[in-house]
Amino acid sequence: MKWWPFGKKQEPAPIPTMEAPDDPVAWIRENLGEYGPQIQSLIEPCIRFSSDSGKDSHLPALKIGGDPDVPDGFVWPMWEGSPLSFLAQFNLSKLPQVKESNLPVHGILTIFNDQTVWGFDPKDKGSTQVFWFEETVNLKRMAPPVKPSDLEQYREAHFAPSVTLSIPDPSLLCMQDLALPQDIEDQMYLLLESLREKDESPRHQLLGHPGLIQNEMQEECQLTSNGIYTGTSTYTNDSSYKALLGGHERDWILLAQIDSDDRADLMFGDLGTLYVWIRHQDLQDRRFDKCWTILQCS
């Protein structure tokens, strides 16, 4: 025991922890009182992906990194005069179905990205580009238009998909609507942290709730995609920002989440995650050019 001139030193309080439950949905229902059923109603299905290093000669592959499989005549996407890096592609016909989702059930969804961009500046538009190739015949594997040393490239790793449930983070707008008491919110954070510790694999995902590293992103997507810089809180001084919200921020849903992944030699900042968002209507209309992307790091 250490003694200090002005009395006993206060030892820091232990950080609360919990063991991950086998059935987190049942845990929510049974341990969070009247809020349990409300939170349970917000849980959404998603498609999660595990990755495995290696190469696949079959086209189109379900993968991260390597070279993309593209149709004849495809022009490699550019941003600010430089080619974007190929990030990932999803052969949608190989994916399990998610009920009531507007995600196409055929074709190939392909993402190119400049990983140095955070997504809080309207000038970031075009730094991530998403393509949906409806036809998958006559695809060819395309190398980038520059030598490898001039472009960030990722090691090819295969995706193995499965449907699971995504539990909402208390920071999300849908959870803020519940006005959770602090103790319930704290228990939700403990639950999410325990689930992350139980499964430390990269969190690649389509649809569902995002695995947040920092703040919620729906408002940021709505504002930044409409011309307001959100890198600082000064955007609240812009008289137009409230009019741009007004509930429209809730139109944005998660399309894809790509995590840092050692198997693909992929690192976003400091163990960061890239989140690709799209409006409900734009997904229904297949307007993948309307996506907005945000990068978060720990």
Side-chain angles (χ1 to χ4, degrees):
M1 181 179 295
K2 295 181 179 178
W3 292 89
W4 300 83
F6 300 102
K8 181 182 176 182
K9 180 182 179 182
Q10 294 294 317
E11 296 293 337
I15 299 175
T17 59
M18 68 175 286
E19 183 176 347
D22 293 331
D23 187 343
V25 177
W27 186 92
I28 290 172
R29 183 175 60 250
E30 297 166 3
N31 290 274
L32 300 183
E34 64 180 292
Y35 297 97
Q38 298 179 59
I39 296 172
Q40 183 180 351
S41 70
L42 297 176
I43 295 173
E44 294 183 356
C46 68
I47 305 173
R48 287 264 173 84
F49 300 88
S50 59
S51 63
D52 186 15
S53 58
K55 291 192 174 182
D56 187 355
S57 59
H58 296 88
L59 277 68
L62 182 62
K63 66 178 185 177
I64 187 171
D67 292 330
D69 302 327
V70 298
D72 286 336
F74 179 75
V75 177
W76 195 282
M78 309 284 288
W79 185 65
E80 293 192 341
S82 299
L84 293 173
S85 296
F86 166 65
L87 182 58
Q89 66 183 32
F90 302 90
N91 184 345
L92 301 176
S93 66
K94 292 184 177 180
L95 300 184
Q97 300 299 304
V98 175
K99 291 183 178 181
E100 300 180 4
S101 164
N102 283 322
L103 190 70
V105 297
H106 65 283
I108 184 167
L109 193 69
T110 303
I111 303 173
F112 292 81
N113 167 258
D114 182 327
Q115 68 159 271
T116 66
V117 178
W118 295 91
F120 50 68
D121 192 327
K123 296 177 182 178
D124 295 342
K125 182 178 181 180
S127 61
T128 296
Q129 297 183 33
V130 182
F131 300 87
W132 177 52
F133 305 131
E134 187 170 4
E135 300 295 333
T136 57
V137 295
N138 300 322
L139 294 178
K140 61 180 180 180
R141 196 148 289 176
M142 185 179 187
V146 296
K147 57 185 179 181
S149 59
D150 292 337
L151 182 68
E152 188 74 45
Q153 288 186 280
Y154 313 114
R155 187 185 310 123
E156 184 172 310
H158 300 157
F159 279 144
S162 62
V163 173
T164 187
L165 296 176
S166 60
I167 296 174
D169 187 288
S171 299
L172 295 176
L173 295 182
C174 63
M175 289 284 277
Q176 293 179 30
D177 293 339
L178 302 182
L180 299 176
Q182 189 62 55
D183 63 321
I184 299 296
E185 191 172 293
D186 291 343
Q187 290 184 71
M188 280 299 299
Y189 281 124
L190 284 175
L191 171 64
L192 291 171
E193 182 62 28
S194 72
L195 295 174
R196 280 193 288 267
E197 291 180 352
K198 183 178 180 180
D199 180 11
E200 296 181 344
S201 60
R203 293 177 293 171
H204 306 304
Q205 178 180 319
L206 289 177
L207 306 174
H209 294 299
L212 296 184
I213 297 177
Q214 300 174 4
N215 52 291
E216 74 86 19
M217 291 168 271
Q218 288 170 292
E219 289 189 358
E220 190 174 338
C221 287
Q222 174 64 9
L223 294 173
T224 315
S225 65
N226 281 283
I228 293 183
Y229 180 88
T230 57
T232 67
S233 61
T234 56
Y235 71 83
T236 57
N237 298 326
D238 189 322
S239 60
S240 64
Y241 97 93
K242 288 186 178 180
L244 283 172
L245 296 178
H248 297 297
E249 65 275 17
R250 296 172 187 265
D251 295 338
W252 290 90
I253 61 171
L254 182 71
L255 175 63
Q257 173 178 298
I258 307 296
D259 210 353
S260 295
D261 191 334
D262 289 339
R263 291 185 180 90
D265 196 23
L266 170 63
M267 180 67 68
F268 292 111
D270 183 10
L271 293 175
T273 302
L274 189 76
Y275 306 86
V276 183
W277 294 81
I278 192 170
R279 295 181 183 91
H280 283 284
Q281 188 62 46
D282 291 332
L283 178 57
Q284 183 174 327
D285 295 341
R286 310 305 188 225
R287 292 298 308 274
F288 294 102
D289 58 310
K290 298 287 189 179
C291 290
W292 193 262
T293 305
I294 294 174
L295 172 62
Q296 291 189 350
C297 291
S298 55

Coordinates of all heavy atoms in Angstrom, one line a residue, residues 37 108 123 152 163 193 197 201 218 278-279 289 297:
P37 N -37.0 -5.7 -25.1 CA -37.7 -5.9 -26.3 C -37.6 -4.8 -27.3 O -37.6 -5.0 -28.5 CB -39.2 -6.0 -25.8 CG -39.1 -6.5 -24.3 CD -37.8 -5.8 -23.9
I108 N -22.3 -8.4 -59.8 CA -21.2 -8.3 -59.0 C -21.0 -6.8 -58.5 O -21.1 -5.9 -59.3 CB -19.9 -8.7 -59.8 CG1 -18.7 -8.7 -58.9 CG2 -19.7 -7.9 -61.0 CD1 -17.5 -9.5 -59.5
K123 N -15.3 17.6 -50.8 CA -14.4 17.4 -51.9 C -13.9 15.9 -52.0 O -13.3 15.5 -52.9 CB -13.1 18.3 -51.7 CG -13.4 19.7 -51.8 CD -12.2 20.6 -51.5 CE -12.5 22.1 -51.5 NZ -11.3 22.9 -51.2
E152 N -1.5 1.7 -54.2 CA -1.8 0.8 -53.1 C -2.5 -0.4 -53.5 O -3.7 -0.3 -54.0 CB -2.6 1.6 -52.0 CG -2.7 0.9 -50.7 CD -1.4 0.9 -49.9 OE1 -0.8 2.0 -49.8 OE2 -1.0 -0.2 -49.3
V163 N -25.0 -15.4 -43.0 CA -26.0 -14.4 -42.5 C -25.9 -14.5 -40.9 O -25.9 -15.6 -40.3 CB -27.4 -14.7 -42.9 CG1 -28.4 -13.8 -42.2 CG2 -27.5 -14.5 -44.5
E193 N -18.7 -4.9 -26.6 CA -17.2 -5.1 -26.4 C -16.9 -6.6 -26.1 O -15.9 -7.1 -26.6 CB -16.7 -4.3 -25.2 CG -15.2 -4.4 -24.9 CD -14.4 -3.9 -26.1 OE1 -14.9 -3.0 -26.8 OE2 -13.3 -4.4 -26.2
E197 N -14.4 -9.0 -28.4 CA -13.3 -9.7 -27.9 C -13.4 -11.2 -28.2 O -12.4 -11.9 -28.3 CB -13.2 -9.5 -26.4 CG -12.8 -8.1 -26.0 CD -12.7 -7.8 -24.5 OE1 -13.1 -8.7 -23.8 OE2 -12.2 -6.7 -24.1
S201 N -11.8 -11.5 -35.4 CA -11.5 -11.5 -36.9 C -12.0 -10.2 -37.5 O -12.9 -9.5 -36.9 CB -12.2 -12.7 -37.5 OG -13.6 -12.6 -37.3
Q218 N -24.8 8.6 -40.0 CA -25.9 8.9 -40.9 C -26.0 10.4 -41.1 O -26.2 10.9 -42.3 CB -27.2 8.4 -40.4 CG -27.3 6.8 -40.5 CD -28.5 6.3 -39.7 OE1 -28.6 6.4 -38.5 NE2 -29.5 5.8 -40.5
I278 N -25.4 4.2 -48.4 CA -26.2 4.5 -49.5 C -27.6 4.8 -49.0 O -28.0 4.3 -47.9 CB -26.2 3.3 -50.5 CG1 -26.8 3.7 -51.8 CG2 -26.9 2.1 -49.9 CD1 -26.7 2.7 -52.9
R279 N -28.4 5.6 -49.7 CA -29.7 5.9 -49.3 C -30.6 4.7 -49.7 O -30.3 4.0 -50.7 CB -30.3 7.1 -50.0 CG -29.6 8.4 -49.6 CD -30.2 9.6 -50.3 NE -29.5 10.9 -50.0 CZ -28.5 11.4 -50.7 NH1 -28.0 10.7 -51.7 NH2 -28.0 12.5 -50.4
D289 N -23.5 5.0 -57.7 CA -22.7 6.2 -57.8 C -23.1 7.2 -56.7 O -22.3 8.2 -56.6 CB -22.9 6.8 -59.2 CG -24.3 7.2 -59.5 OD1 -25.2 6.3 -59.3 OD2 -24.5 8.3 -59.9
C297 N -11.1 5.3 -37.4 CA -10.0 4.6 -36.8 C -10.1 4.7 -35.3 O -10.8 5.6 -34.7 CB -8.7 5.2 -37.2 SG -8.3 5.0 -39.0

